[in-house]
Structures are given as C-alpha cells and as structure tokens.
Amino acid sequence: MDDEAQFGPHRWSAGYHDDGANDRFRGATFMVGDLRGTRFVDCDLSQAKIVDGCLIDVDISGYVSNLVVNGIDVTEYVEAELDRRHPERVQLRNVRNADDFRALWTTIERLWSELTARAERLPESVRHERVADEWSYVETLRHLVYITDSWVSRTILDEERPFHPLALPQTAYAPADATALGMELDAKPSYAEVLEARADRVAVVHGVLDGLTDAELGRLCLRPPAPGYPEEERPVAECLGVLMDEECEHYRFANRDLTILESH
C-alpha cells in the first residue's frame, strides 16, 4: 500500500483498502474508449490528461489544484465561488489560535443545527435516502461520529478504542479493520439513535475546546487516528484542523443533497 495520500494534502487516507491492485491503472492510456457513466471514488487522478474528450454532464468533487480546462486554469474561480457560498471555509483557513478554533466550532454547530432542522421536516425514510449514491444524511452524521472518535478521542485524548458501534469510516477503509475496531458497518440505526451518538461526540469536542490553550495546540499526539494510518506525530492543532475541515466539507455535501431531497 502506498504511504502517499490519495489526493492533495489529505493525510487521513492511509487506511484505505488495498487489494494489491490499487495502482493497476497508474500511467494507463485509454484510447478512443467509451467511459460514459464511469464512477471514480477515492481515486488519485493527479497529472491525468484528457485530450479531445467529450465532457458533458461531468461532476467532479475532491481536492482540486491546477485544474486546466481548454487551456484555462479554473482552480481560482472554483475556490472563490466555494468561499462565497461557504464562508466557513475562509474562517477555517484563518484559524490561528485556541479562540479561533472555539469560534469556528460555534459556526459549525450553528450550520449543522440549521441543517438538522431542515432534515427533521422530512420523513424518516428520506433522511436515510441517498442522492447519486452519496451518503444519506444519517450516514453523514455517522461518519462525523467516526471523525470525532478518530481525530479527537484517539489522537488528542489518546484513547485506544473510542469508536462508537455506529461510527462510519471513509468508504474505502477496509471493512475487516472497521469491524475489528467495534464498528458495525451494516447497522441500520434509526435517525434518533444516530442523533444521540452525534450529540455525545459533539460534547466530547466541547470538552476539548473548553479548556484548550494556545500552548496545547502544539502538543504532539502520538497515537494515529486509526489502525492503518501513518505512524507519525501530529500536533493537536492539526487534529482539530482535520476535524473541522471534515465538518465543513460534509456540511457542504449534506446541504447540497438535502436541497435535492426537499425538492422531491
């Protein structure tokens, strides 16, 4: 398994499943191929080049840098538009001290509270419904439970096995590894059960942030977020940064999908 991140600066992808053939398409050339309807999940497409392609109704999400379309780098436009729509991204980039982390968490809690109020106006079944095979609202909350367990309880609080049974790791995390950690990937919990787990993890974050000092941000955490992640020291500030980046990004995805579900 490669120790490289799957894309960009995201350093939490080392637990992804490797069946021994993850690199089988590296450097491949597809000549006059029909790739309509293909789906790429957690794929590293760095240095990919498409020549004379037909790109209609194409949807791309992920870490984007130096994305050139017909000779024009559109990265700056994409980033500016995302910042305009989601100012919490700007707030995240400007975090410098403990007070900034607390202020950002207040913003994150407000955003999710507003989103949850919208979700609760929908039937229970819709909260479990996927859009374009992305995680449902309930599954997204389960993933954020995992993020808190891995990047706060396991790293910052140094707990060996903090994982809630309903925690849901990234899609490509090896299922056997998740099961060994006590996660029940096939569980079908109710919305209320997941909301309870989520509230408990939010309280854990509050416990860390309430007593956080600027000096504490530099303390090195020795335990990796989960088995399979690189064995390296991570400062508290980095662990909190990953937590809040995940919260912001999944808020964006959940907001997008909830808007579609509301229109049905």
Side-chain angles (χ1 to χ4, degrees):
M1 180 176 67
D2 253 340
D3 288 332
E4 299 176 13
Q6 286 169 277
F7 50 84
H10 294 254
R11 293 175 294 278
W12 54 90
S13 56
Y16 73 99
H17 177 59
D18 184 356
D19 60 3
N22 281 8
D23 62 352
R24 62 190 178 278
F25 295 124
R26 181 179 294 178
T29 296
F30 301 92
M31 184 71 70
V32 195
D34 187 341
L35 300 179
R36 286 176 292 182
T38 53
R39 185 179 181 86
F40 301 89
V41 180
D42 284 344
C43 291
D44 188 340
L45 299 176
S46 300
Q47 287 87 52
K49 187 176 182 64
I50 300 173
V51 180
D52 293 335
C54 184
L55 295 161
I56 300 172
D57 296 330
V58 174
D59 191 344
I60 300 173
S61 68
Y63 176 75
V64 176
S65 179
N66 303 322
L67 178 62
V68 178
V69 179
N70 288 336
I72 300 172
D73 189 334
V74 300
T75 309
E76 186 174 333
Y77 165 75
V78 172
E79 291 300 302
E81 184 62 15
L82 283 173
D83 287 348
R84 184 186 68 81
R85 298 184 186 189
H86 298 281
E88 66 274 9
R89 287 164 43 92
V90 180
Q91 187 177 359
L92 173 62
R93 289 201 302 273
N94 289 332
V95 166
R96 297 291 182 271
N97 54 46
D99 285 339
D100 290 342
F101 273 115
R102 280 186 280 270
L104 177 56
W105 188 250
T106 296
T107 296
I108 288 170
E109 282 200 276
R110 174 180 57 79
L111 291 172
W112 277 104
S113 177
E114 294 169 354
L115 205 60
T116 295
R118 288 169 54 195
E120 292 181 347
R121 289 195 287 268
L122 298 171
E124 169 84 9
S125 61
V126 176
R127 294 193 286 263
H128 292 267
E129 185 177 333
R130 288 184 166 189
V131 175
D133 205 33
E134 297 292 332
W135 277 334
S136 68
Y137 192 76
V138 168
E139 288 172 318
T140 296
L141 294 181
R142 290 179 62 186
H143 180 62
L144 293 177
V145 168
Y146 168 79
I147 291 300
T148 302
D149 288 347
S150 56
W151 286 98
V152 178
S153 296
R154 217 179 115 90
T155 54
I156 297 174
L157 300 179
D158 197 32
E159 298 178 14
E160 184 178 1
R161 294 178 63 88
F163 299 101
H164 193 286
L166 299 182
L168 190 64
Q170 60 266 37
T171 304
Y173 194 82
D177 291 347
T179 300
L181 292 169
M183 290 178 268
E184 301 172 3
L185 301 186
D186 295 329
K188 304 295 182 185
S190 67
Y191 172 70
E193 289 173 318
V194 173
L195 210 60
E196 181 179 356
R198 166 69 167 165
D200 181 78
R201 271 35 184 184
V202 167
V204 169
V205 176
H206 270 293
V208 170
L209 292 177
D210 287 349
L212 188 68
T213 64
D214 290 350
E216 173 72 0
L217 291 175
R219 177 176 65 82
L220 295 178
C221 304
L222 306 182
R223 194 185 297 277
Y229 286 68
E231 296 281 348
E232 59 188 30
E233 297 178 339
R234 299 168 176 84
V236 169
E238 179 181 327
C239 297
L240 287 175
V242 172
L243 166 77
M244 298 197 182
D245 180 60
E246 287 272 333
E247 290 276 351
C248 290
E249 289 298 286
H250 284 286
Y251 164 77
R252 178 164 64 88
F253 302 148
N255 179 62
R256 173 200 64 195
D257 293 347
L258 200 58
T259 299
I260 294 172
L261 294 170
E262 288 169 330
S263 67
H264 288 173

